[in-house]
Amino acid sequence: DAGVIQSPRHEVTEMGQEVTLRCKPISGHNSLFWYRQTMMRGLELLIYFNNNVPIDDSGMPEDRFSAKMPNASFSTLKIQPSEPRDSAVYFCASSSSPRGQYFGPGTRLTVL
Amino acid sequence: AQKVTQAQTEISVVEKEDVTLDCVYETRDTTYYLFWYKQPPSGELVFLIRRNSFDEQNEISGRYSWNFQKSTSSFNFTITASQVVDSAVYFCALSEVDSSYKLIFGSGTRLLVRP
């Protein structure tokens, strides 16, 4: 069974450009999470969806960040415009219960 | 407010030594879950174990064991006879039922196992 799929795995872009990160959760999971990992702040939750509805977006750093989940099998995290401080590894995770969240391989974003 | 503290930033051991990674948590909930994740140098986050707040029984899985003590709000992780492949960053995390199961991570402990 396929795990959480993220694309792209690596993204290098220039400041000011729009960046879109994609996630396909594990089939049957009804919760989806976006996390960001940096050296300074560690792993932090950006936004959480349940049954495709955003439940908690308090971790989204600012208006430049937006996330959508148009259906149960796809989610996007968009940064527009991107800034160098957005450079990080972005993880998507999915879950069907408190049993545990399963993480994708991450997208390493570098903003020059 | 919920919080997870991993006071050990980095641990270095020689292969075959036993090592314990500490995790202390704070929560007001009576129902919660605790997790350990492993992040090897390749970067992915690997789920290791989940414990719910009503189950204080220690668990052993091969060389890994976990000690959950509610009295001290700790959920420590021990690797017996460590191997070089155990080198990774290990994260402890807390999930509260009331917060829709989102994970609060500790800052991680980097384990280096030297041959």
Side-chain angles (χ1 to χ4, degrees), chain A residues 33 35 37 43 45 48 55-56 58 91 97-105, chain B residues 33 35 37 39 42-45 47 50 91 99-103 105-106 110:
Chain A
F33 306 80
Y35 292 87
Q37 185 178 32
L43 273 161
L45 178 69
Y48 154 56
I55 303 299
D56 182 355
S58 59
F91 287 100
S97 74
R99 296 179 189 279
Q101 294 175 21
Y102 293 88
F103 284 75
Chain B
Y33 296 84
F35 303 83
Y37 284 84
Q39 188 172 41
S42 51
E44 72 270 26
L45 281 161
F47 169 78
R50 170 191 62 96
F91 292 94
S99 65
S100 301
Y101 308 124
K102 68 180 182 182
L103 290 172
F105 283 91
R110 182 178 299 276

Side-chain angles (χ1 to χ4, degrees), chain B residues 24-84:
Chain B
V24 175
Y25 62 93
E26 294 177 28
T27 178
R28 294 177 185 169
D29 280 12
T30 56
T31 302
Y32 53 89
Y33 296 84
L34 296 165
F35 303 83
W36 277 94
Y37 284 84
K38 174 182 180 180
Q39 188 172 41
S42 51
E44 72 270 26
L45 281 161
V46 179
F47 169 78
L48 294 179
I49 189 171
R50 170 191 62 96
R51 256 296 175 256
N52 74 54
S53 51
F54 299 108
D55 184 0
E56 286 193 73
Q57 197 169 24
N58 292 333
E59 182 157 339
I60 298 175
S61 176
R63 297 183 298 105
Y64 295 171
S65 61
W66 291 270
N67 185 337
F68 176 29
Q69 292 193 346
K70 287 179 75 171
S71 61
T72 56
S73 297
S74 65
F75 186 43
N76 297 337
F77 173 30
T78 297
I79 302 174
T80 303
S82 60
Q83 299 176 2
V84 173

